[in-house]
Amino acid sequence: MTVRTACPYCGVGCGVLARADRTGRATIAGDPEHPANFGRLCSKGAALGETLSLADRLLTPQIDGLRASWNAATRLIADRFGEAIAEHGPDSVAFYVSGQLLTEDYYVANKLMKGFIGSANIDTNSRLCMASSVAGHKRAFGADTVPGVYADLEDADMVVLVGSNLAWCHPVLHQRLAAAKTSRGTHVVCVDPRRTATAELGDQLLQLAPGSDVALFNGLLNRIHASGAIDGGYVGAHVDGLDAAVDAAGAMTPAEAARQTGISEVALTRFYDRWIQTEKVVTIYSQGVNQASSGTDKVNAILNCHLATGRIGRPGMGPFSVTGQPNAMGGREVGGLATMLAAHLDLDVPAHRDAVQSFWASPRIASRPGLKAVDLFRAAGDGEIRALWILSTNPAVSMPEADRVAEAIRACPFVVVSDITGTTDTARLADVLLPATAWGEKSGTVTNSERRISRQRPFLPGPGEARPDWQALADVGKAMGWADAFTWDGPAAVFREHAALSGVAGQLGRDFDISGLATLGDADYDALKPVQWPVTHDREGGRFFAGGGFLTGNGRARMLAVAPRALAEKIGADWPLRLNTGRVRDHWHTMTRTVKSSRLSQHMAEPYLEIHPADAARAGVLPADLATVESPEGAAVLRVLVSDRVPEGSVFAPMHWTSETSSNGRIDALVRAHTDPISGQPELKAQPVRVRQFPALWHGFAVSRGALRPRTDYWAVGSVQSGIRAELAGQVEPDCWERYARALFGLDAAPCISVIDQNAGSARVALGQAGGPAGVLFVSRGPVEVARAHVIAEIECGAAPDALLAGRPSADRPEAGAIVCSCHGVGVNTILAAVARGSTTLDAVGCATDAGTGCGSCRPEITALLASAEPRVAAE
Ligand code: SF4
């Protein structure tokens, strides 16, 4: 049976059609009826069926590493949390949750912490993602409201992308924008220090200096004012603070904005004037704006420009924050951040607290904000948090100062981790592990970036004793003595309660009101189609604020007087480069699921450092070298990717690799936790670092059809269809490469053939038999030069060991090169050869090679390869 569900990755919130087979795998397709994607999926969504293996699943609760019953684990959690509260007060316990949770899970967690425990110490990994947007929205609109809808991208005449690599991080929205550009010629501007894959869509690329976004948008506001483009009617009727905001921006002439942003005055003026002359303009922003010590001011600098021109809430215009995670928005709705109450109600408004407490019939209610993520883990490290429950996230990898966070979790007297696997860096630190149901097994709702609520429906049974998180939380609530408040017969009942509470919020004049869904029966909930909030008796979905109606006390929006602020840390002689961290196209967060897909592991197979050629030369690193990247906080070892896509003075590294998948790839261990003073969001894109060559004596590449146990100074692993691949390096050469290979593959007695040249420092060792368990290892003094895709394909089809040793295809079979198109396994060499033969358009390359004809996520990279043969749009 085909089940309609929603993708569990990014905030686009695509609809998915899933059909399970008898082996526990599933066929996946885009849902043509879902209004977020209309049938499209990106590479991650398309590969969902390959991530469902139970190989590493946590199947039973564990206490101190030993199997336990749910009853025993629940009792222990209730007792330890109860003891901490009794001895040290409610603020001595905390939950750290996740934008991966379903709204129903989030609702129960928030109710338990804020209404019954009586603390607001529940924060979420969304703090790392969009907290600055939440804070900016609340300052300007009086509520965390995203005013627009996805169709605005298609109706706009101009789209500005600020700090948003849409092509990799929200690929289906990028595809919708690309289609709109083709059909109506939308003018696209990319504002980013890097020339990302998204820039290939841009008509103008503004490579601004890191952190200079407020200068850029204050310059725009100043130009709007100077050119008489303020919408006096809209501002007069609906907006406060214009004069102060314009005054604050008054010094930002194009010349001054050019000085601060590093963009030429000509380019800035061209951008400003086009923005001013184009009424239908959408400004999209995400992590490049939010993840900053001045993130909230950056958001408000953007909102100021839209408010001053009245370009908000009408078709094709408005500011648009796109969220990173599938249910970051749902978390905001239930109050999953330590700074919110529930249903967009506020902790610091007595009437809101009274209303929620009365609705919940709770013995108490949190009355002040709790600890935001960075402060929460610092408090744990300081011994102030005595019991901590982490659900569906991996802060020992993803938080800044990740090593300190791991230490804090280790130091906390009692830690519970709920996850689908017990092998994450965080799960390994838990006293109690709870097995959670995964995507495909869970039932509930998520809300995407345009406020659209979709059902996640199960199509597989939960394995072992895995349970939904809402149920685990509710059982602890009951065990703590609040059975009446935490008894539901399923997620539909939780959703009805959440919707009913939103009706209370609606009566108090709040925007988030889905009371029209509060009486859904179980069958209606099961059948619920994607629906955009608000949902009340007289309204469903649509845009906000075209006619004012802001959620501030007086109904008027607030423009904020914001001024540029320096980044938290300066670069200097010791730490001369700025580290920008972010996502890659085919992996998700700490790779718990995406690493299981060989397709997704091909695109970026190891943690890397993107560095400008001039900086690489200064640091003494060459392409494909390994480099040590250091900050005062820690160090990582990464593969060098020399590229002018990063500006001189900056480097980029992805945030996905963990201790499970690499020896030294946890990049957030290097990043200091400087936070925005309002949102508490950490600055994850500006850490001063230095780079030097990692002095490897040997480099290796290995593929195994079975196990692979890398024990060396550097390693990074990924999956292939029927085994594991690894990049390796060492500072000490083993005595015997055959012995090393046997230990690496765990094949002590297998037949072995090898070609070893001690003088040249090269070795090729193949173990096993054709069709059986096998492993192959290539070693050289410098980075290993073999045709990796070919070796992987050969070992997967059970080639004989001697055939594996060649390391590349025969002369009559071209080598594919690094994989660009994951769907069809098409490499860069294949694409470039097609271009050389005359395929000079995306479609022609597709016809010649199949590249780009699957999910379409690689089309920006193919465009870049095509452009590399032509003069490209210059950065300005
Ligand atoms: Fe999933 Fe990709 Fe859609 Fe995001 S764009 S929701 S990752 S399919």
Side-chain angles (χ1 to χ4, degrees):
M1 186 179 75
T2 298
V3 171
R4 287 202 137 82
T5 183
C7 176
Y9 296 127
C10 84
V12 179
C14 295
V16 169
L17 299 177
R19 177 191 280 270
D21 65 24
R22 289 187 186 164
T23 67
R25 293 171 73 92
T27 308
I28 298 293
D31 181 351
E33 292 178 20
H34 197 289
N37 57 319
F38 299 106
R40 298 175 178 95
L41 288 178
C42 75
S43 50
K44 291 186 288 291
L48 273 165
E50 298 160 29
T51 65
L52 303 172
S53 125
L54 300 181
D56 62 346
R57 283 294 295 273
L58 178 65
L59 298 174
T60 65
Q62 291 180 12
I63 298 173
D64 294 331
L66 300 174
R67 179 175 181 163
S69 69
W70 270 102
N71 280 348
T74 301
R75 187 68 261 159
L76 181 65
I77 296 166
D79 288 349
R80 294 298 298 268
F81 270 70
E83 286 160 18
I85 294 162
E87 265 186 61
H88 304 280
D91 288 335
S92 68
V93 302
F95 295 164
Y96 185 63
V97 298
S98 165
Q100 305 288 304
L101 291 182
L102 303 183
T103 298
E104 292 74 5
D105 304 321
Y106 248 134
Y107 178 82
V108 178
N110 190 55
K111 179 178 179 181
L112 178 56
M113 182 54 76
K114 292 194 181 127
F116 288 79
I117 290 174
S119 168
N121 279 350
I122 170 170
D123 212 40
T124 158
N125 61 7
S126 295
R127 181 71 60 191
L128 313 181
C129 174
M130 30 45 59
S132 296
S133 282
V134 173
H137 289 161
K138 290 192 75 174
R139 287 206 301 186
F141 307 150
D144 175 25
T145 316
V146 173
V149 299
Y150 289 162
D152 291 328
L153 274 67
E154 292 156 333
D155 290 339
D157 294 320
M158 179 174 182
V159 172
V160 185
L161 295 142
V162 193
S164 177
N165 185 5
L166 213 64
W168 281 17
C169 302
H170 301 93
V172 165
L173 268 192
H174 180 268
Q175 290 176 23
R176 287 180 65 168
L177 177 58
K181 183 176 170 65
T182 302
S183 65
R184 62 176 294 159
T186 315
H187 186 80
V188 177
V189 180
C190 296
V191 180
D192 200 308
R194 288 195 297 151
R195 197 174 76 247
T196 64
T198 307
E200 302 305 330
L201 194 63
D203 298 284
Q204 193 180 17
L205 169 60
L206 300 176
Q207 277 188 281
L208 80 177
S212 63
D213 312 55
V214 172
L216 179 74
F217 282 93
N218 271 6
L220 175 57
L221 181 62
N222 189 31
R223 188 92 173 165
I224 290 169
H225 182 248
S227 56
I230 301 280
D231 182 340
Y234 186 84
V235 172
H238 305 302
V239 181
D240 288 335
L242 172 75
D243 292 344
V246 166
D247 279 354
M252 206 57 70
T253 60
E256 180 57 18
R259 191 186 69 77
Q260 294 199 25
T261 60
I263 301 166
S264 77
E265 191 176 335
V266 171
L268 274 182
T269 307
R270 185 150 66 93
F271 164 62
Y272 289 162
D273 290 348
R274 182 133 197 168
W275 200 99
I276 290 165
Q277 287 155 14
T278 310
E279 189 183 24
K280 293 174 86 173
V281 57
V282 171
T283 308
I284 295 175
Y285 52 97
S286 51
Q287 268 51 315
V289 168
N290 293 329
Q291 290 178 335
S293 57
S294 60
T296 309
D297 283 353
K298 291 185 186 186
V299 170
N300 286 109
I302 293 170
L303 301 185
N304 280 349
C305 297
H306 282 273
L307 290 170
T309 51
R311 294 173 184 172
I312 188 165
R314 288 185 284 149
M317 61 187 87
F320 207 122
S321 147
V322 283
T323 54
Q325 298 195 73
N327 201 28
M329 190 72 95
R332 289 146 75 169
E333 291 156 9
V334 303
L337 290 158
T339 38
M340 309 168 98
L341 180 52
H344 285 199
L345 294 166
D346 291 318
L347 283 158
D348 59 357
V349 178
H352 290 187
R353 291 200 304 272
D354 291 347
V356 176
Q357 186 174 5
S358 162
F359 180 86
W360 281 340
S362 65
R364 54 191 72 85
I365 193 88
S367 58
R368 58 193 163 101
L371 294 166
K372 303 181 190 108
V374 167
D375 299 330
L376 189 156
F377 287 103
R378 284 187 178 149
D382 292 342
E384 292 164 25
I385 299 297
R386 315 291 300 174
L388 172 62
W389 191 347
I390 299 167
L391 293 103
S392 201
T393 185
N394 193 0
V397 176
S398 55
M399 283 290 294
E401 301 181 1
D403 287 344
R404 287 181 207 249
V405 168
E407 274 311 306
I409 296 169
R410 192 176 284 117
C412 184
F414 184 66
V415 175
V416 183
V417 172
S418 295
D419 212 321
I420 61 171
T421 170
T423 61
T424 70
D425 291 59
T426 301
R428 290 180 189 283
L429 304 171
D431 298 292
V432 176
L433 274 173
L434 298 179
T437 44
W439 183 81
E441 302 153 10
K442 305 206 269 193
S443 179
T445 54
V446 291
T447 310
N448 73 4
S449 298
E450 64 162 355
R451 294 177 274 108
R452 194 173 297 280
I453 299 167
S454 296
R455 287 277 282 113
Q456 264 196 25
R457 296 184 175 89
F459 53 89
L460 292 167
E465 296 174 24
R467 284 186 184 172
D469 290 313
W470 71 263
Q471 193 180 344
L473 287 152
D475 286 345
V476 169
K478 282 185 251 183
M480 291 180 82
W482 302 304
D484 288 350
F486 288 92
T487 300
W488 295 277
D489 61 6
V494 180
F495 183 82
R496 282 190 288 272
E497 186 178 310
H498 164 56
L501 177 58
S502 80
V504 174
Q507 284 164 14
L508 288 166
R510 306 309 290 164
D511 57 338
F512 176 68
D513 185 345
I514 56 167
S515 54
L517 303 173
T519 55
L520 284 183
D522 287 5
D524 296 330
Y525 175 78
D526 277 344
L528 184 67
K529 291 189 170 162
V531 59
Q532 190 171 43
W533 65 257
V535 189
T536 63
H537 70 279
D538 60 358
R539 182 172 175 193
E540 182 178 319
R543 301 173 178 85
F544 280 87
F545 309 141
F550 292 93
L551 288 308
T552 51
N554 64 1
R556 295 168 67 84
R558 290 184 287 250
M559 287 178 65
L560 273 289
V562 291
R565 270 189 283 134
L567 294 164
E569 287 194 46
K570 286 191 169 73
I571 53 172
D574 287 343
W575 312 102
L577 298 165
R578 281 219 183 272
L579 171 65
N580 182 355
T581 65
R583 291 175 170 157
V584 301
R585 190 189 77 190
D586 285 358
H587 277 305
W588 179 256
H589 283 195
T590 58
M591 300 201 284
T592 320
R593 287 168 297 191
T594 49
V595 78
K596 293 182 175 178
S597 163
S598 57
R599 245 199 302 173
L600 297 179
S601 297
Q602 303 182 92
H603 182 240
M604 292 292 181
E606 64 182 322
Y608 66 90
L609 182 80
E610 206 168 1
I611 184 169
H612 189 274
D615 292 321
R618 273 190 286 275
V621 294
L622 297 169
D625 266 355
L626 289 170
T628 301
V629 189
E630 295 171 291
S631 79
E633 195 63 32
V637 179
L638 309 173
R639 184 71 61 186
V640 172
L641 182 61
V642 177
S643 157
D644 65 1
R645 289 183 162 271
V646 286
E648 200 171 339
S650 284
V651 289
F652 173 83
M655 45 80 83
H656 306 289
W657 274 267
T658 68
S659 301
E660 288 292 299
T661 49
S662 70
S663 55
N664 314 73
R666 290 164 61 249
I667 199 67
D668 282 316
L670 279 66
V671 179
R672 280 179 163 166
H674 299 291
T675 55
D676 179 280
I678 299 156
S679 70
Q681 182 153 359
E683 187 153 84
L684 291 167
K685 292 180 172 292
Q687 175 63 48
V689 295
R690 64 185 171 215
V691 173
R692 61 186 162 84
Q693 193 189 45
F694 175 79
L697 201 58
W698 61 272
H699 294 250
F701 170 66
V703 189
S704 168
R705 290 193 66 184
L708 199 150
R709 303 184 187 96
R711 289 192 192 92
T712 185
D713 302 303
Y714 170 83
W715 54 266
V717 295
S719 60
V720 298
Q721 229 163 342
S722 49
I724 302 175
R725 61 181 288 168
E727 301 290 340
L728 308 160
Q731 295 177 307
V732 176
E733 198 165 306
D735 297 337
C736 170
W737 283 114
E738 288 190 5
R739 203 161 46 238
Y740 180 86
R742 287 187 184 287
L744 181 67
F745 301 126
L747 293 171
D748 290 344
C752 174
I753 59 167
S754 63
V755 180
I756 295 172
D757 182 338
Q758 293 286 5
N759 291 335
S762 69
R764 294 172 179 228
V765 184
L767 290 166
Q769 293 162 337
V776 63
L777 168 69
F778 298 88
V779 176
S780 59
R781 289 255 157 85
V784 174
E785 293 182 18
V786 294
R788 285 167 169 72
H790 165 79
V791 172
I792 291 166
E794 289 288 292
I795 206 165
E796 282 180 342
C797 72
D802 55 346
L804 291 172
L805 285 190
R808 59 185 65 258
S810 53
D812 57 333
R813 287 168 59 201
E815 185 190 329
I819 296 300
V820 174
C821 172
S822 301
C823 295
H824 297 295
V826 186
V828 63
N829 295 346
T830 308
I831 293 168
L832 288 173
V835 174
R837 287 195 304 271
S839 300
T840 54
T841 64
L842 261 176
D843 289 343
V845 169
C847 278
T849 68
D850 284 343
T853 61
C855 72
S857 296
C858 61
R859 287 168 76 88
E861 284 154 277
I862 300 170
T863 303
L865 290 170
L866 286 163
S868 66
E870 300 170 359
R872 65 164 72 100
V873 178
E876 295 169 302

